[in-house]
Amino acid sequence: MKMASSMASEPSTTIPTVDLSPFFHEDEAGRKQATEIIHHACQTYGFFRIVNHGMSTELMAQAIKLSKAFFELPEEEKLKFRPIVGSEAPLPAGYSRQPDHSPDKNEYLLMFSSELGFNLLPADPPEFRSVLDECFTQLARIGLLVEEILNECMGLPPNFFKEYNKDRRTDFMAALRYFPATGVENNGLSEHQDGNCLTFVFQDDVGGLEVLKDGEWISADPQEGSIIVNVGDIIQVLSNNKFHSAMHRVVRRGRHRHSFAFFFNIDGEKWIEPLPQFTSKIGEAPSYRGFRYKEYLQLRLRNKTHPPSRPEDVIHISHYAISPCK
């Protein structure tokens, strides 16, 4: 697959596509072009698509196939892998389904790095664990590469992010199944911004992922072998709004939709605030007050466990915004 020759050639009805192959070869011109497109995409869309990223199409297809087989199991079988009460995992590892009162209509299997010992995965078929573990490893590798590119896009000192965000124990991956739309509603995942650093998604051919840009919903259509990347709230805060954590949603279609989402995260104890490179060093006031990341996660989790009756009461990153009049 070929990358668009320039940012201007990308139609406004789709997210930009970036070819990452130059980062696996000595291709400085290709790296420069890819970095420029990612920079532009992060400033304007908050989303982009990567191709030639090093993760095989065969592995992605096998993961989707095995995920489908798992979610087709009877409910009592899937519940054997529900999260363990009292687990020390940062989030409930294992099988979960959105509560009946939730507007979101999906079920998912959440996992961390296998080295941490939190995962609850079926032993049958035998390749299930090895395939998902390999997906996790590959997506974590891609996450480090994209983070390195962002480091350059943001004009930060070399290896800044490598040191700032070096604890990878809170990264997690979820296999998801969205239920078919009904005659009265089609919400799969309500519009939201991701609360992490970066999210990586690969999906089956059903579609339904949409990105909000300039008041219009843009479809992030499935393309074989590609991975969708979106900027999360933490990058938006660190960049003092220079990079955009985009609103997005999943609209259900006429059949089940399967996808994998990898959340490139940050240590919960980390103090988050706009970096001086985007505030004091350029004479701009910070747009956000500082916060500890785990406290923000707790507020976001409450959105899920105790959904407010009014959409305007949902906690998101604007909760930490500093009013311009102050």
Side-chain angles (χ1 to χ4, degrees):
M1 299 178 70
K2 295 296 184 181
M3 176 178 60
S5 59
S6 70
M7 290 177 284
S9 66
E10 285 286 352
S12 61
T13 56
T14 188
I15 61 175
T17 297
V18 187
D19 185 345
L20 292 187
S21 61
F23 293 93
F24 302 105
H25 308 95
E26 294 299 324
D27 182 358
E28 289 303 320
R31 292 184 183 187
K32 182 176 184 295
Q33 185 181 27
T35 301
E36 289 174 351
I37 295 176
I38 290 177
H39 191 180
H40 173 72
C42 291
Q43 288 182 318
T44 56
Y45 290 81
F47 268 71
F48 54 95
R49 184 192 309 274
I50 56 174
V51 297
N52 299 323
H53 39 66
M55 185 174 182
S56 74
T57 301
E58 292 75 18
L59 176 63
M60 298 161 74
Q62 190 176 15
I64 291 289
K65 180 181 178 180
L66 291 168
S67 171
K68 287 181 178 179
F70 172 78
F71 287 118
E72 287 172 356
L73 291 173
E75 191 71 12
E76 59 268 22
E77 285 297 313
K78 290 184 286 189
L79 288 174
K80 292 179 180 178
F81 305 99
R82 61 181 178 267
I84 297 173
V85 177
S87 170
E88 295 182 358
L91 290 170
Y95 170 76
S96 297
R97 181 177 177 136
Q98 297 290 355
D100 290 339
H101 64 268
S102 173
D104 301 334
K105 305 300 179 186
N106 61 68
E107 56 186 335
Y108 54 93
L109 185 65
L110 190 150
M111 61 179 290
F112 293 87
S113 169
S114 59
E115 299 175 356
L116 300 176
F118 295 137
N119 295 337
L120 298 170
L121 303 174
D124 186 35
E127 65 270 25
F128 190 92
R129 294 182 181 179
S130 61
V131 168
L132 265 62
D133 283 344
E134 182 62 19
C135 282
F136 192 102
T137 298
Q138 292 294 326
L139 290 167
R141 175 190 57 78
I142 294 170
L144 289 171
L145 173 58
V146 174
E147 183 187 59
E148 182 180 346
I149 298 170
L150 283 186
N151 197 103
E152 183 173 348
C153 290
M154 296 171 71
L156 299 173
N159 297 320
F160 174 86
F161 270 134
K162 185 176 181 180
E163 291 302 316
Y164 180 84
N165 189 23
K166 61 185 177 182
D167 189 340
R168 304 262 52 90
R169 289 175 296 178
T170 56
D171 294 346
F172 67 95
M173 182 176 77
L176 298 108
R177 180 169 83 156
Y178 293 86
F179 304 115
T182 69
V184 294
E185 61 91 24
N186 64 354
N187 183 64
L189 189 61
S190 304
E191 59 182 68
H192 66 287
Q193 296 163 272
D194 285 354
N196 57 331
C197 294
L198 295 163
T199 304
F200 299 82
V201 174
F202 66 90
Q203 53 190 320
D204 64 13
D205 62 350
V206 174
L209 177 60
E210 298 182 344
V211 183
L212 186 65
K213 184 180 186 295
D214 300 329
E216 300 289 337
W217 288 103
I218 298 173
S219 178
D221 291 328
Q223 291 182 12
E224 185 179 16
S226 72
I227 296 175
I228 304 296
V229 185
N230 69 272
V231 174
D233 289 347
I234 301 309
I235 299 298
Q236 177 169 304
V237 172
L238 294 177
S239 70
N240 205 37
N241 290 333
K242 298 297 187 295
F243 280 15
H244 180 45
S245 177
M247 194 72 71
H248 55 287
R249 68 184 183 185
V250 174
V251 176
R252 287 147 59 207
R253 304 287 176 81
R255 54 194 174 100
H256 286 103
R257 173 185 183 264
H258 295 82
S259 65
F260 277 80
F262 181 85
F263 298 89
F264 195 80
N265 229 330
I266 196 163
D267 179 22
E269 295 296 333
K270 202 74 178 179
W271 183 257
I272 309 296
E273 62 183 352
L275 295 173
Q277 287 87 348
F278 301 100
T279 54
S280 59
K281 290 187 177 181
I282 60 173
E284 290 191 10
S287 298
Y288 301 92
R289 60 183 172 86
F291 57 91
R292 201 163 302 283
Y293 182 56
K294 66 179 181 181
E295 296 170 358
Y296 179 47
L297 282 184
Q298 289 167 357
L299 290 173
R300 287 181 61 97
L301 185 59
R302 185 170 178 80
N303 289 340
K304 293 290 187 182
T305 58
H306 299 81
S309 57
R310 302 187 310 165
E312 58 268 31
D313 292 333
V314 173
I315 297 294
H316 44 74
I317 199 61
S318 63
H319 178 79
Y320 294 92
I322 297 174
S323 173
C325 65
K326 290 184 179 180

